[in-house]
């Protein structure tokens, strides 16, 4: 097969460029300590920001729901797969986000594809931050609308592009908290630009939902943006919620349009009802246990102050995502491997996931980490820096 398609040489070239991606098998639940490839390590690369992925009450919710509904959902939501658990969760999520309605998708990737494909068509234009998640780019391509990318958080550049656009309909879409950088989009200004240029506004808050806002409803809550100011809100449930899936929240007409037209909603099997049940329990914990968000914040603060003291490069990020920019792909890999040998799991993120020359360690924190674990990580980073001299200016 590789003869005609040139798969083998392409794979070899990938390897030579240090762009080859490999998987490691995990033999334990998610948590600050995991067993991976037979080795116990401290985990600093999971998106389980609130420490819920292995929480006893989520597991209990799954058990109870499996007893009641079995495992598989059996069909898509529009056929006979839409269970009472899914329906309740949608109502809970609408209330949680202060939106009229919410719609569950099987993954965040599919939610983004579905929204962009259902709302846009040829002749429309979608304006995207250059650092937006891949699923938002793919959704734009699938929609056949014109894709206009603006420099990261560059409001002036975006306004120029909006003013110059002759598209029939316009949509501005951004990550809330950027997945590889951890910084936040200027949502208030973006919302104002959308209103000024009669554009629709969409935020993918995969990394903000659960972690930010007074009750965990994410960046939209932190910025106090209601459904008029931010009509399309996407959240994912596999990160801070420790579960699986995603949702779109907004007005009734938006949600009805997605049910009628979003192909990644219509043509796929509904997630198992037990997953929805676990998410409902996660939502209860997200709303009630403020200490998880506070603890996460204090660990991030501890990490940043220790790094500053040790002269390690930091970015602007104040979120649970704390990248250490290395620059060179090979050095980022070496540093990640060094950390692994010291018992720390930290992933090296390389192009094309991030721009050329900005390979990095993507360090993430969880409310389940201890202060001692954070201190140990910083000590290992210092050692790695000495051993590999691997850092360039990280700003
Ligand atoms: C993780 C992520 C997604 C995809 O969500 P899944 O549920 O994992 O498919 C979408 N957008 C952003 C910004 C993400 O970080």
């Amino acid at each position: 097969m590789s003869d005609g398609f040139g798969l083998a040489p392409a794979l070899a070239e990938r390897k030579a460029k240090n762009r080859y991606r490999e998987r490691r098998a995990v033999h334990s639940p998610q948590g600050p300590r995991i067993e991976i490839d037979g080795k116990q390590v401290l985990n600093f690369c999971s998106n389980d920001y609130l420490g819920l992925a292995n929480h006893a009450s989520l597991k209990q919710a799954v058990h109870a729901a499996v007893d009641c509904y079995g495992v598989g959902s059996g069909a898509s939501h529009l056929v006979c797969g839409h269970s009472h658990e899914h329906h309740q969760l949608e109502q809970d999520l609408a209330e949680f986000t202060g939106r009229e309605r919410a719609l569950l998708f099987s993954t965040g990737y599919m939610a983004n594809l579905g929204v962009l494909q259902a709302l846009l068509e040829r002749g429309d234009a979608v304006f995207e931050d250059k650092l937006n998640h891949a699923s938002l780019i793919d959704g734009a391509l699938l929609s056949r609308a014109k894709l206009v990318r603006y420099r990261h958080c560059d409001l002036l550049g975006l306004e120029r592009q909006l003013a110059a656009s002759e598209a029939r309909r316009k949509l501005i879409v951004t990550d809330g908290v950027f997945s590889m950088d951890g910084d936040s989009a200027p949502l208030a200004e973006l919302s104002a630009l959308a209103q000024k240029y009669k554009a629709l506004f969409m935020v993918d808050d995969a990394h903000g939902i659960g972690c930010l806002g007074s009750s965990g409803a994410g960046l939209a809550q932190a910025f106090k943006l209601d459904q008029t100011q931010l009509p399309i809100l996407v959240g994912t449930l596999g990160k801070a919620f420790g579960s699986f899936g995603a949702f779109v929240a907004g007005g009734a007409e938006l949600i009805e349009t997605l049910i009628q037209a979003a192909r990644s909603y219509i043509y796929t099997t509904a997630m198992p009802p037990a997953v929805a049940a676990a998410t409902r329990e996660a939502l209860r914990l997200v709303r009630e246990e403020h200490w998880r968000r506070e603890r996460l914040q204090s660990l991030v603060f501890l990490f940043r102050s220790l790094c500053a003291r040790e002269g390690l490069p930091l970015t602007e990020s104040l979120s649970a995502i704390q990248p250490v920019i290395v620059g060179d792909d090979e050095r980022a890999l070496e540093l990640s491997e060094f950390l692994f040998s010291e018992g720390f799991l930290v992933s090296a993120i390389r192009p094309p996931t991030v721009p050329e020359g900005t390979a990095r360690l993507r360090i993430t924190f969880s409310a389940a980490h201890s202060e001692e674990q954070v201190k140990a990580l910083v000590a290992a980073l210092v050692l790695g820096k000495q051993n590999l001299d691997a850092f360039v200016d990280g700003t």
Side-chain angles (χ1 to χ4, degrees), residues 65-78:
V66 165
D67 286 343
C68 182
Y69 295 97
V71 177
S73 67
S76 68
H77 285 276
L78 289 174

Side-chain angles (χ1 to χ4, degrees), residues 18 20 41 51 59 91-92 101-102 121 155 183 206 210 233 250 270 277 337 353 358 362 376 391:
N18 291 302
Y20 205 74
V41 290
K59 293 198 281 189
Q91 289 177 356
D92 293 351
R101 287 185 62 185
E121 59 189 23
L155 294 164
D183 58 335
L233 176 61
E337 277 159 20
T353 306
T358 69
R362 179 178 181 269
F391 292 81

